[in-house]
Amino acid sequence: MAFESGFLTIECPWRIRCDNEVAIGYSDVRHSAGKFSHKNAEQILLGKRIVNIFHFEQISDLVVEFENGIYLELFHDSSYYEGWQLGTEKGLYLFTLPGGSYSD
């Protein structure tokens, strides 16, 4: 996912929640590829303004809040793999390490 001045790389389970209901998630795309794809997620998020970002250090989860009550939620779930990376053109680079800790 690219932003005006940064990027978010997702390599962990995720879901998009709209009005307190899961609209699409990692399991949908992974296990029902004939019905769901990343294009479904793109349709929901494209053109939406980000209003807030929540980072939960203890568990390395990241929640991006978009306008109109839309949330992209990332869940680090591996003791072996990295989960997500967030970077900006100004040099911020934050990523989750195996096990859920994070580094910058």
Side-chain angles (χ1 to χ4, degrees), residues 42-95:
E42 182 180 46
Q43 287 177 329
I44 295 169
L45 300 178
L46 194 61
K48 301 293 188 297
R49 187 174 56 88
I50 295 173
V51 297
N52 215 337
I53 297 176
F54 303 96
H55 175 240
F56 301 94
E57 289 183 47
Q58 297 82 3
I59 53 176
S60 296
D61 287 356
L62 185 72
V63 177
V64 181
E65 179 183 2
F66 292 84
E67 62 188 346
N68 301 325
I70 299 171
Y71 296 86
L72 170 62
E73 301 172 331
L74 311 180
F75 312 97
H76 189 103
D77 73 335
S78 176
S79 63
Y80 188 70
Y81 295 103
E82 295 177 348
W84 52 263
Q85 298 88 40
L86 178 64
T88 68
E89 291 176 357
K90 295 184 178 182
L92 170 71
Y93 188 67
L94 180 66
F95 59 98

